[in-house]
Amino acid sequence: MDSVFDELYEKYHHDVFQFLFYMVRNREQAEDLVQEVYIRVFKSYDRFEGKSSEKTWLFSIARNVAIDYFRKQKGWKERILEKFDWSDNQVKDDYPIPEEIAVKREEIQWMYKCLQYCTVDQRAVIILRFIQDLSIAETAQALGWTESKVKTTQHRSLKVLKRQMETFYEKEGKTGEKVRVER
Amino acid sequence: MRKSEWSDEELIQLLKQMPKIEDNRHPRDIYQNIPQRKRKSIQWVFPSIAAIAALFLFFILVPKFMDGNQHSTDKAADRESAQTGEVKKEASQKSTADKREMTSVASEAERTAIYADEIGNGQVLTYWIPDEQAEFLVPVSNIVTETQGKTWVELFNEKASELKEPEWGLTDYYPLNASVNIDQQKNVVLVDVPYGHQYGQGSANERLFINSLKKDVASNSTIKQIELSTGGNTGIEFGNTGIEDQLTVSNDKNRAFFFYYPQGSEQPFIVPYDDTPYNDVQSAFGAMMGDPPKTNLQKSILPSFGIENVASEGKTLIISFKSNAALEDNQQTLLSLEAILLTAKDFGFDKVSVSNPPVSTIGPFDLTKAIDVPVAPNKRDF
């Protein structure tokens, strides 16, 4: 096997896979996309300048792959229909909760569902910052943003998550407790 | 631990507890799948290259075929075995025939062979010259009026340099790179080639050289033997047949004559096809009406000629035409008639007569009387 592939696989494969998994929230899709990441990596590996670390470089490629995937998923037909269809504005979650999540406690499952309410950029920041444990600077590098943009996006996405978590609590956690909604 | 309120810190803690997700596939499988996906992007390349190549060929070939329709001498169009090809060929032949008929309206139809009445005291010389593709030999004749008592070999050598083969659309072949003489006592023709001659190289060269010598001698004299030498030493070495000391001249007989139109020429040569002799005149005429035996030859009797029957009476060949035969007095008909006369001569006839002539004359020939066969075919000035 290719030595470059071996090295990249050894060091980063699971990180990249996990990132894509939480981005698209589907195992099969993540498997396909990680393949695409390798193709792009091999195409441009000799152009990799080492300005950023290999890890952030891989994450930036993975993010682009994910964005392309979301774009492709929406064909032109859907995009046009979407404009005329006001009734169906809720985000649909067609995929069942994966096994790894289902065995966890309720809050984790909620959190997993809440991720779908974030935008693609917000989700990327959340995954990189908290699930992958990257620093603000590393996240900024991987996304090609400034650090302050990372910070504001992070702040906004936490707000979205908070609101959604509370909605879940209201829906499912009706145990008679009084709910105090903080705005 | 259900909560209705979440601080940022709590949310972050929760996120950090999200389970680690791993790719369960073996790295080898992942690696093997990569090149396959790569190939996907190249898929369109080969079909598009093929398409471009096909278009390219199309544009190259189409003008060729169009061209082939205009010149019936173009082999590409002629050698189509398919039905459409046949039809095309038929059409092209007809169109050229029509063209010739058009031109012949203005000019009086002229005979192309040499006949006894025009020789006088002259000497008839016939050279056998390879066609442009060097596939067969074309006899070209003329009458030399100022013989000054020279023998035919002297005249043959003398006039060889005056032949205009390229102008006639034939291969430039004469004068031969050889000296040709006669041994009067032994009654043989002596042919001497220099060392380093080209005639032994390749079977085509060799065949053309031997055949042209035999036919030159047969057409111009009654000598039956040719002795070969190289630089004065007996024998000529040929690549395929080895060393030949002498050639025996045999008079070709029972051949059918076809038209050969050199590239861009309106006037055909009338050429004998001698690979297989025919059993009788009928089958020879049949061959001349049907598909020619060689690519570059064309049928010499047009369908309109309508020969009903042929019979022989001593040395006279009697032809009867069908009642609906549409003969016209033009150059094309005259050429067909001459092909018939030459073929009749090859089968040993002296005269040809027509029992029921549809027209009284064709060119200078009076069909109501018996016609003498020609002395030599294809008169050209040299």
Side-chain angles (χ1 to χ4, degrees):
Chain A
M1 247 193 281
D2 199 289
S3 61
V4 176
F5 173 78
D6 270 349
E7 198 193 319
L8 290 175
Y9 181 89
E10 200 61 45
K11 285 193 199 158
Y12 310 113
H13 182 82
H14 293 294
D15 284 342
V16 171
F17 182 76
Q18 179 165 268
F19 171 77
L20 287 168
F21 176 84
Y22 280 114
M23 283 301 280
V24 302
R25 294 148 28 78
N26 174 288
R27 177 175 281 279
E28 281 77 37
Q29 281 308 334
E31 283 177 358
D32 277 0
L33 294 183
V34 81
Q35 219 85 350
E36 179 66 29
V37 170
Y38 281 116
I39 291 168
R40 295 199 190 178
V41 165
F42 289 150
K43 260 190 210 159
S44 56
Y45 191 72
D46 34 335
R47 273 183 279 137
F48 176 58
E49 291 159 338
K51 264 190 207 162
S52 50
S53 77
E54 265 182 341
K55 191 175 182 177
T56 53
W57 180 60
L58 276 172
F59 275 129
S60 69
I61 289 174
R63 172 180 165 255
N64 288 332
V65 167
I67 288 175
D68 287 351
Y69 162 74
F70 287 125
R71 255 187 223 144
K72 258 185 232 164
Q73 238 194 350
K74 275 188 191 171
W76 60 274
K77 264 187 206 163
E78 283 91 338
R79 268 185 241 174
I80 291 170
L81 285 176
E82 206 174 56
K83 298 249 192 264
F84 297 100
D85 191 6
W86 293 281
S87 65
D88 192 26
N89 260 345
Q90 304 109 305
V91 185
K92 275 189 205 154
D93 195 6
D94 301 329
Y95 308 126
I97 295 183
E99 213 182 316
E100 289 90 336
I101 307 290
V103 297
K104 299 283 173 183
R105 58 200 168 85
E106 218 174 6
E107 280 91 348
I108 300 280
Q109 291 183 28
W110 290 355
M111 181 56 85
Y112 179 77
K113 283 182 185 167
C114 287
L115 280 174
Q116 70 179 297
Y117 297 101
C118 296
T119 64
V120 174
D121 279 346
Q122 287 170 348
R123 213 180 308 158
V125 170
I126 290 291
I127 297 168
L128 289 177
R129 284 285 287 123
F130 306 123
I131 300 181
Q132 304 288 1
D133 267 334
L134 262 61
S135 70
I136 300 248
E138 281 174 319
T139 308
Q141 225 170 32
L143 301 178
W145 295 351
T146 60
E147 290 185 18
S148 58
K149 187 177 178 188
V150 172
K151 278 180 205 162
T152 47
T153 312
Q154 177 186 321
H155 180 69
R156 275 188 203 138
S157 43
L158 281 174
K159 241 170 136 181
V160 172
L161 287 178
K162 190 184 286 180
R163 195 167 56 238
Q164 292 301 333
M165 284 298 277
E166 281 159 8
T167 323
F168 268 109
Y169 178 78
E170 270 174 36
K171 253 196 270 172
E172 298 183 25
K174 279 178 188 161
T175 53
E177 280 178 58
K178 287 251 169 172
V179 178
R180 190 164 64 95
V181 180
E182 203 178 48
R183 272 291 127 100
Chain B
M1 192 185 90
R2 281 189 173 150
K3 291 195 64 164
S4 59
E5 244 176 86
W6 301 80
S7 70
D8 281 3
E9 210 39 53
E10 283 165 334
L11 282 173
I12 290 168
Q13 282 310 314
L14 202 54
L15 280 167
K16 293 200 176 188
Q17 287 167 26
M18 294 293 281
K20 290 262 172 268
I21 309 290
E22 296 218 327
D23 191 350
N24 302 325
R25 293 173 298 168
H26 193 276
R28 198 184 336 111
D29 297 337
I30 300 170
Y31 184 73
Q32 273 168 357
N33 278 334
I34 296 170
Q36 281 173 10
R37 292 194 107 215
K38 255 186 186 170
R39 225 173 283 147
K40 229 178 179 182
S41 62
I42 307 174
Q43 264 177 0
W44 60 272
V45 173
F46 291 103
S48 52
I49 289 174
I52 290 166
L55 276 177
F56 185 66
L57 278 178
F58 181 78
F59 283 115
I60 285 183
L61 289 179
V62 159
K64 255 251 139 91
F65 281 120
M66 309 276 245
D67 207 36
N69 264 350
Q70 248 116 68
H71 304 287
S72 58
T73 44
D74 197 319
K75 296 135 249 82
D78 282 1
R79 262 313 91 174
E80 288 270 14
S81 57
Q83 191 73 27
T84 50
E86 287 295 309
V87 172
K88 233 188 241 171
K89 197 173 74 181
E90 212 76 64
S92 76
Q93 267 180 353
K94 255 182 209 144
S95 72
T96 46
D98 287 347
K99 242 189 272 165
R100 279 178 206 111
E101 275 165 28
M102 298 283 271
T103 55
S104 66
V105 171
S107 66
E108 186 78 7
E110 279 179 48
R111 54 190 189 180
T112 63
I114 295 174
Y115 296 85
D117 58 15
E118 56 187 315
I119 295 172
N121 292 325
Q123 165 81 41
V124 176
L125 274 184
T126 302
Y127 293 86
W128 290 77
I129 306 170
D131 74 309
E132 210 175 18
Q133 260 76 45
E135 274 187 64
F136 46 84
L137 292 163
V138 178
V140 178
S141 315
N142 197 8
I143 307 165
V144 184
T145 44
E146 290 164 20
T147 55
Q148 297 159 338
K150 289 173 182 167
T151 64
W152 71 266
V153 173
E154 285 166 323
L155 291 169
F156 183 86
N157 288 329
E158 203 177 293
K159 291 286 175 185
S161 57
E162 290 170 34
L163 299 176
K164 292 166 273 192
E165 294 104 318
E167 196 180 296
W168 300 328
L170 303 173
T171 303
D172 195 355
Y173 201 67
Y174 292 92
L176 297 170
N177 182 21
S179 74
V180 182
N181 289 299
I182 286 188
D183 186 328
Q184 299 282 8
Q185 262 136 23
K186 287 182 6 189
N187 197 30
V188 293
V189 175
L190 307 172
V191 176
D192 185 62
V193 294
Y195 283 106
H197 66 95
Q198 306 292 309
Y199 298 120
Q201 290 172 7
S203 58
N205 268 342
E206 179 179 322
R207 179 175 54 80
L208 284 177
F209 183 64
I210 291 174
N211 285 341
S212 60
L213 280 183
K214 283 182 180 176
K215 287 174 194 292
D216 284 341
V217 173
S219 302
N220 294 310
S221 73
T222 53
I223 295 173
K224 293 290 169 214
Q225 201 81 301
I226 304 170
E227 290 195 349
L228 305 175
S229 60
T230 308
N233 298 317
T234 311
I236 294 179
E237 186 172 358
F238 294 107
N240 282 8
T241 43
I243 296 176
E244 292 279 346
D245 289 351
Q246 47 179 283
L247 303 171
T248 306
V249 178
S250 55
N251 270 327
D252 293 315
K253 268 193 165 41
N254 300 3
R255 298 166 296 184
F257 283 69
F258 293 89
F259 290 160
Y260 167 60
Y261 288 93
Q263 196 84 40
S265 170
E266 286 284 289
Q267 194 185 11
F269 287 99
I270 303 175
V271 181
Y273 172 71
D274 50 13
D275 284 8
T276 50
Y278 294 90
N279 289 331
D280 46 45
V281 198
Q282 280 90 343
S283 56
F285 285 170
M288 288 154 72
M289 284 184 256
D291 281 334
K294 262 196 160 70
T295 321
N296 290 341
L297 296 177
Q298 292 196 15
K299 61 177 73 172
S300 50
I301 304 180
L302 295 179
S304 63
F305 225 82
I307 294 176
E308 169 97 322
N309 199 14
V310 288
S312 60
E313 202 180 276
K315 292 226 156 203
T316 304
L317 182 74
I318 300 163
I319 296 177
S320 56
F321 283 99
K322 287 178 189 158
S323 53
N324 62 350
L327 247 61
E328 281 176 55
D329 180 6
N330 60 27
Q331 188 68 42
Q332 198 61 28
T333 311
L334 178 59
L335 285 166
S336 285
L337 178 63
E338 288 198 291
I340 288 171
L341 292 175
L342 285 164
T343 306
K345 185 195 176 192
D346 229 57
F347 280 88
F349 295 101
D350 287 342
K351 285 175 189 297
V352 171
S353 74
V354 179
S355 62
N356 56 341
V359 286
S360 55
T361 58
I362 296 176
F365 294 113
D366 186 350
L367 291 195
T368 55
K369 294 174 186 161
I371 305 163
D372 287 331
V373 297
V375 176
N378 302 320
K379 184 177 184 228
R380 296 289 190 278
D381 289 333
F382 55 76

